[in-house]
Amino acid sequence: MTRLFNDPAAFADEALEGFAAAHRRWVRPVTGGVVRAAATPAGQVAVVIGGGSGHYPAFSGLVGRGLAHGAAVGNVFASPSARQIHSVAEAAHGGAGVLLMYGNYAGDVLHFGQAAERLAADGIDTRTFAVADDISSAGPDDSAKRRGIAGDLPVFKAAAVAAEQGLPLDEVLGVAERAGARTRSFGIAFSGCTLPGADHPLFTVPEARMAVGLGIHGEPGIGEEALPTADEAARLLVETLLGELPEDVAGPGGQRAAVILNGLGSVKYEELFVVYRKVAALLGEAGVEIVDPEVGELVTSFDMAGVSLTLTWLDDRLEELWRAPADTPAYRKGALGTPEPEQAPVTTRAQDTAVPDTAAVPPASDASREAAGTVLAALDAVARVVDTHADELGRIDAVAGDGDHGIGMRRGSTAAQRAATDAHGLGAGAGTVLARAADAWADKAGGTSGALWGTMLRSLGTALGDQEAPDAPRVASGVTEASAAVRRLGGAEVGDKTMVDVLVPFADTLAAATAEGLPLSDAWDRAATAATEAAAGTAGLLPRRGRARPHAEKSLGTPDAGAHSLALITRAVHGVLLNH
């Protein structure tokens, strides 16, 4: 378990601060993460990687020559927000465009996609690539749905070296695609990880058993088997990966592969070497030539006891990129000659604008400022109800997911309430209060729920604005737009076992009730009842999206955590409306 921390909510920020202070030769801090200490050379594509905290050396430890130009770092097991990614990418940009790279998780896909849109709007040519190497998380026919685990390293490295060789952006993306298509990973775990401040692991494994097909956010394995010997574990890892070769690899014989035996946090290096001894022998027997193997901790999951094996099947070009030197805080290979000179931190537009200027808010009417008081009271109620139910939400989420929904919702709702309080104190209208709350929720919660709640609050804020006195139809219109925006962004629909299963009936019922002429509190009461019923109904659904999808059968009989939290929030807000 994690023993050394202060406030668990500040753990990720404090860890990043300490990391940057300890590695000034390689990196400098910027809003949202770190970039190389020396600026990206003019005309060179910047490769910006990122993801949640809790995976060190990924992602901040992989910033330096021969690897990433910058890393956006989110909260524990939560993707960085779009604003954080935008900030890091803008600071790393060298004038030739940016390639954003990340593991294939719903929250990362959403936030990095939003960041790419914002960068493009700023005139920065941007591409995105999600690493999807975990063969246990989806079958070959659904490989685009696979998670990213330790395969991040060889794919990130291939793209970064190509960028340093001067290739244009689309060719750097092509290298990433080639490396990603030839990378496969598979893992096993013997115990789950425990997050800072938690008193129990996200999942447990029965005595003398192991979880097969783990995820790196504390997700339980796809199945369980008897605890193996080191040699038996090596055989399972190797045979599983050799059982699924890339389409253009006819067979393992005569092939070359970059090999990574990755420790996930608690397996000691000596244990890894015992396993690798057999891995190397088995690959040799299969006719595979091992190229520059890596044995150690490359992508971890806090203190999870587990290992994963990654094979990247090499051609001449990929082998060149894999063998190329690298010099980062956590990953070094070969020699790169004279280090680039350190550069004093410079002020970038990203640093200036990543956090709203709290000294000024847009002008607002008296009616809107009065409504902002109701908005703030509602956000206070949201933060309270989330805090009360955070443990319950985590328990529900842990049935088939990673168990951090309650933690993320608490971080997001608390940050939103604080940002709203600050904006209200400056005389902001209802729309601006909601917009500030939206950005704070997305920044601090990260992950899928952070992106979606940020989108919902911003949509509602846009509908209310800062000039008009909000009435029931205007509020209902904002909620309807929030529902549509969430579906556009996340791609989920009713029946996928997500928060959409609650959001759609809530929005539809609210719109119908206000159209009948009901006062807002009465209309909201009817809609909140529909939301509660819809949330309970998700217990009978199988998840088709998100981290719970690989464990779909386990979730039968349990409601979706995001749907349940939304239903709780709608009811809590109704209590505020009764008094305002």
Side-chain angles (χ1 to χ4, degrees), residues 243-268:
E244 186 193 314
L245 301 175
E247 291 182 358
D248 56 352
V249 175
Q255 299 291 336
R256 294 163 286 171
V259 178
I260 298 174
L261 185 63
N262 177 59
L264 283 147
S266 290
V267 176
K268 305 305 294 182

Side-chain angles (χ1 to χ4, degrees), residues 254-312:
Q255 299 291 336
R256 294 163 286 171
V259 178
I260 298 174
L261 185 63
N262 177 59
L264 283 147
S266 290
V267 176
K268 305 305 294 182
Y269 273 67
E270 287 86 349
E271 295 175 90
L272 293 174
F273 292 139
V274 171
V275 175
Y276 183 73
R277 152 192 160 275
K278 188 63 174 180
V279 167
L282 292 170
L283 290 174
E285 292 170 9
V288 178
E289 178 187 348
I290 298 173
V291 178
D292 283 5
E294 296 286 348
V295 179
E297 294 183 347
L298 284 310
V299 180
T300 62
S301 183
F302 265 113
D303 59 336
M304 183 187 288
V307 298
S308 64
L309 181 66
T310 297
L311 301 180
T312 297

Side-chain angles (χ1 to χ4, degrees), residues 82-84 86 113-124 439 458:
R83 290 201 308 160
Q84 292 170 319
H86 179 280
Q114 288 179 321
E117 292 174 356
R118 296 181 189 183
L119 289 164
D122 290 343
I124 297 177
D439 287 341
R458 183 166 287 279

Side-chain angles (χ1 to χ4, degrees), residues 45 47 98-101 126-130 155 159 162-163 167-180:
V45 170
V47 173
V98 175
L99 175 60
L100 302 176
M101 303 186 71
T126 307
R127 303 289 185 274
T128 64
F129 184 77
V155 182
L167 270 63
L169 180 57
D170 283 333
E171 291 187 30
V172 174
L173 173 61
V175 168
E177 292 171 340
R178 176 70 169 167

Side-chain angles (χ1 to χ4, degrees), residues 455-537:
T455 295
M456 283 194 290
L457 294 179
R458 183 166 287 279
S459 296
L460 183 56
T462 299
L464 298 189
D466 288 332
Q467 299 303 318
E468 302 294 330
D471 56 15
R474 187 182 293 273
V475 172
S477 175
V479 172
T480 296
E481 175 50 37
S483 173
V486 164
R487 282 177 284 163
R488 286 195 301 269
L489 181 62
E493 293 294 343
V494 172
D496 286 343
K497 195 164 187 172
T498 70
M499 67 185 300
V500 168
D501 289 294
V502 168
L503 182 56
V504 169
F506 174 75
D508 290 349
T509 304
L510 184 65
T514 55
E516 292 177 16
L518 289 182
L520 181 58
S521 61
D522 292 345
W524 195 283
D525 181 30
R526 183 185 295 180
T529 299
T532 301
E533 293 172 353

